Amino acid sequence: NFMLTQPHSVSESPGKTVTISCTRSSGSIVSNYVQWYQQRPGSAPTTVIYEDNQRPSGVPDRFSGSIDSSSNSASLTISRLKTEDEADYYCQSYDGSNHWVFGGGTKLTVL
Amino acid sequence: QVQLVESGGGLVKPGGSLRLSCAASGFGFSDYYMSWIRQAPGKGLEWVAYISYGATIIYYADSVKGRFTISRDNAKSSLYLQMNSLRAGDTAVYYCARGSSWYIDYWGQGTLVTVSS
């Protein structure tokens, strides 16, 4: 099995761009799709990226996902930051045994 | 619109059992894999289990295997989680979710399960 490691917290100002990383501990990041979920305080999670870089309908194009095989990591980039983007963000993937793995989550502060 | 409404949470003693339900509406329930995800108070997300369209493919997290059973009734558009031999560490909000065998696209609002004497 593998772990997905995310920074505990990131912060940035409104209007700027922030990138959250998700590093896979073993095995190749390109082997299995990576998803990203947003969880605002007191709310259920919602999906912002699936299958590495696909946006569900209704998710603004300010949100984008990418994969970097050289660093064995996935990234979520949020551009033109808004205060409403302040939330916890979780990456998720799966292993060869069909078990899902979540990252520990990153708290994004928009100040 | 897609709706997933969980029910059945509550307070249960260690060693006890509880059955969670998830009522789905607004989409073809039998066309999707369904999952349960949990979140302990103040902690991150943890995958619990998922089940395929016709319940022929089922996988569990190691932490619940042998104690929890996921099932579905496509005629009733409902998902279930039977939880036995509950422990304090199972205390969490349990989310019902729609998706595939590798991702979620819709989440329910969650139901709280508290295991305490």
Side-chain angles (χ1 to χ4, degrees), chain A residues 1 33 35 37 39 43-47 50-51 57 90 92-94 97-104, chain B residues 35 37 39 43-47 50 59-62 95 100-110:
Chain A
N1 216 338
Y33 287 125
Q35 282 62 238
Y37 306 108
Q39 187 175 32
S43 297
T46 61
T47 304
Y50 68 100
E51 294 181 351
S57 61
Y90 296 89
Q92 172 259 321
S93 190
Y94 50 99
S97 301
N98 297 293
H99 286 203
W100 291 11
V101 178
F102 280 94
Chain B
S35 307
I37 309 297
Q39 186 171 35
K43 303 296 185 182
L45 301 174
E46 180 187 13
W47 169 69
Y50 70 72
Y59 286 97
Y60 296 97
D62 291 344
Y95 294 102
S100 73
S101 60
W102 61 88
Y103 75 84
I104 292 165
D105 60 1
Y106 280 96
W107 300 69
Q109 288 304 303

Side-chain angles (χ1 to χ4, degrees), chain A residues 26-53:
Chain A
S26 61
S28 175
I29 192 71
V30 304
S31 296
N32 308 96
Y33 287 125
V34 175
Q35 282 62 238
W36 290 92
Y37 306 108
Q38 176 194 67
Q39 187 175 32
R40 293 189 174 111
S43 297
T46 61
T47 304
V48 291
I49 294 289
Y50 68 100
E51 294 181 351
D52 297 341
N53 54 20

Side-chain angles (χ1 to χ4, degrees), chain A residues 28-96:
Chain A
S28 175
I29 192 71
V30 304
S31 296
N32 308 96
Y33 287 125
V34 175
Q35 282 62 238
W36 290 92
Y37 306 108
Q38 176 194 67
Q39 187 175 32
R40 293 189 174 111
S43 297
T46 61
T47 304
V48 291
I49 294 289
Y50 68 100
E51 294 181 351
D52 297 341
N53 54 20
Q54 301 300 302
R55 272 190 315 278
S57 61
V59 174
D61 62 4
R62 300 186 299 105
F63 290 81
S64 62
S66 63
I67 300 293
D68 181 355
S69 57
S70 65
S71 59
N72 214 36
S73 64
S75 293
L76 173 69
T77 298
I78 310 171
S79 59
R80 304 186 300 280
L81 272 170
K82 300 183 177 185
T83 54
E84 67 199 47
D85 298 330
E86 190 161 286
D88 293 327
Y89 291 85
Y90 296 89
C91 61
Q92 172 259 321
S93 190
Y94 50 99
D95 64 19

